[in-house]
Amino acid sequence: MRIIDVLKDEQVHISCELFPPKQGHQLENVKQVVQEIAILKPSYMSVTYGATGGTSDYTVDIANEIQNKNEIPALAHLTCASSTREKVHEVVEQLKAKKIENILTLRGDIPENADFPLPNQYKHASELIADVKSLGDFCIGGACYPEGHPEAATMQEDIEHLKEKVDAGCDFLTTQMFFDNGIYYNFMYKILKKNINVPVVAGIMPVTNATQIRRIISLSGNNVPPRFKAIVDRFSDNPAAMKQAGIAYATEQIIDLIANGVNNIHIYTMNKPDVAGAIFKNLSEIR
Ligand code: FAD
């Protein structure tokens, strides 16, 4: 099933993100995570490509597990900064062979000390999008940054490049995580003014331990509202309380988004079925 058809149907849709294992011997564990999250019946599940500690080697395997074993539409991430065009084409062919038609196309982070881009590389996600589109009938997603991408000099410049991605053939966008819904609403206002009209799935990260939040802030420069900071300050040395508070905070964010007409929400599950399960339970009637 094409994810764009899911996103446009006016229902509330909650999807989940997973990351693949780092090593082959962990593959069965991640397949177990897929099964436990699939039971929750998310609208689709995405699997990252070489991010959050996983490796790109198993992205196709996990996407196959999601879609062809657990019957949940799969969204396979694909990055290009660390790959050649040939490697990208190879992965696209593997996805095609498994009938995975949804791809989240990303540049990825530029490897340190690399001459980037080499002649056989893509420079921006927009180039990857145009190429993937030429390789088959895929439903293509892209990333967007309600607080601006860290490399962009200004928000305006970042939104201009976002428009290039959409014009290149991006069917929908998924946001970087944010902890203050006002940031998402302001972003939507700005991009609609620039005629970016594709669905924008709101990415929500349930932060269930203090180390996680420190890492997130240092990597992405996310704005952390005082209300959230107070939770981390108060509960960070009590893991069970921090987890409960993190789940409650993410649930509240999601309810506020849905109440304001944002129907498509993506949960960064960090491969934690219990956390995803608790949020789904909190939303049982709302979904
Ligand atoms: P781009 O869209 O190419 O943008 C990167 C920067 O270049 C931005 O500052 C943009 O403004 C600028 N830019 C774009 N086009 C131009 C142009 N023509 N001229 C000048 N500047 C330009 N990383 C992974 O490694 N694996 C994953 O699976 C993964 N999944 C992600 C999922 C989501 C939802 C999000 C939000 C991020 C994800 N990332 C992942 C992180 C992402 O790869 C990084 O944030 C990366 O630095 C940018 O990727 P992008 O696709 O947004 O790049």
Side-chain angles (χ1 to χ4, degrees):
M1 181 183 273
R2 293 170 78 83
I3 285 173
I4 187 62
D5 296 331
V6 173
L7 300 178
K8 281 190 166 166
D9 78 0
E10 302 287 323
Q11 310 277 328
V12 169
H13 289 292
I14 315 280
S15 51
C16 292
E17 180 181 287
L18 306 177
F19 55 86
K22 206 168 186 173
Q23 291 164 333
H25 70 87
Q26 297 159 334
L27 197 54
E28 289 311 311
N29 295 347
V30 179
K31 287 183 180 176
Q32 179 65 30
V33 170
V34 170
Q35 236 181 61
E36 289 175 32
I37 294 186
I39 290 168
L40 304 171
K41 299 256 174 282
S43 297
Y44 62 92
M45 288 163 82
S46 76
V47 51
T48 64
Y49 191 86
T52 332
T55 166
S56 53
D57 293 348
Y58 303 108
T59 297
V60 177
D61 291 327
I62 298 299
N64 180 49
E65 192 72 16
I66 292 168
Q67 185 163 298
N68 299 322
K69 301 267 170 61
N70 289 274
E71 298 179 350
I72 302 284
L75 170 63
H77 294 206
L78 177 61
T79 69
C80 58
S82 306
S83 292
T84 58
R85 284 174 186 262
E86 290 73 25
K87 173 70 185 169
V88 164
H89 287 200
E90 209 178 284
V91 176
V92 169
E93 286 309 315
Q94 289 169 7
L95 291 169
K96 234 191 236 178
K98 305 279 186 206
K99 300 204 175 340
I100 290 157
E101 55 194 338
N102 304 294
I103 305 183
L104 191 77
T105 48
L106 302 137
R107 185 199 67 186
D109 290 323
I110 298 167
E112 276 173 34
N113 308 320
D115 283 330
F116 179 81
L118 293 169
N120 63 346
Q121 285 187 311
Y122 309 86
K123 189 169 182 192
H124 303 293
S126 51
E127 292 174 14
L128 176 66
I129 290 166
D131 201 25
V132 170
K133 217 172 160 54
S134 74
L135 295 172
D137 186 21
F138 292 105
C139 169
I140 297 180
C144 64
Y145 303 83
E147 298 179 62
H149 184 268
E151 288 167 32
T154 63
M155 189 71 198
Q156 192 184 342
E157 184 187 297
D158 205 28
I159 290 176
E160 275 158 23
H161 296 314
L162 186 61
K163 175 82 171 114
E164 286 164 14
K165 281 206 280 205
V166 174
D167 290 345
C170 200
D171 296 299
F172 69 96
L173 297 165
T174 305
T175 73
Q176 178 64 285
M177 69 194 78
F178 54 88
F179 299 102
D180 174 350
N181 290 354
I183 289 169
Y184 175 93
Y185 302 134
N186 286 339
F187 177 67
M188 289 306 294
Y189 175 75
K190 288 180 190 145
I191 66 170
L192 283 170
K193 266 179 80 172
K194 293 283 177 194
N195 287 325
I196 296 176
N197 298 309
V198 294
V200 180
V201 182
I204 297 296
M205 166 78 96
V207 178
T208 53
N209 69 65
T211 321
Q212 211 183 348
I213 187 75
R214 285 187 202 107
R215 194 166 162 272
I216 290 164
I217 296 165
S218 74
L219 284 179
S220 65
N222 274 110
N223 175 26
V224 178
R227 203 166 69 84
F228 187 74
K229 194 168 176 300
I231 290 175
V232 177
D233 287 347
R234 176 75 173 81
F235 301 119
S236 60
D237 56 359
N238 180 342
M242 186 61 229
K243 183 171 168 183
Q244 195 170 44
I247 289 168
Y249 191 92
T251 304
E252 260 190 52
Q253 259 194 292
I254 294 171
I255 292 173
D256 177 74
L257 286 163
I258 297 172
N260 283 286
V262 182
N263 283 345
N264 300 314
I265 318 274
H266 194 57
I267 302 176
Y268 295 110
T269 71
M270 301 304 288
N271 290 16
K272 292 179 182 160
D274 56 335
V275 172
I279 295 175
F280 273 68
K281 189 163 173 237
N282 288 344
L283 300 171
S284 57
E285 298 305 317
I286 291 167
R287 275 180 85 208

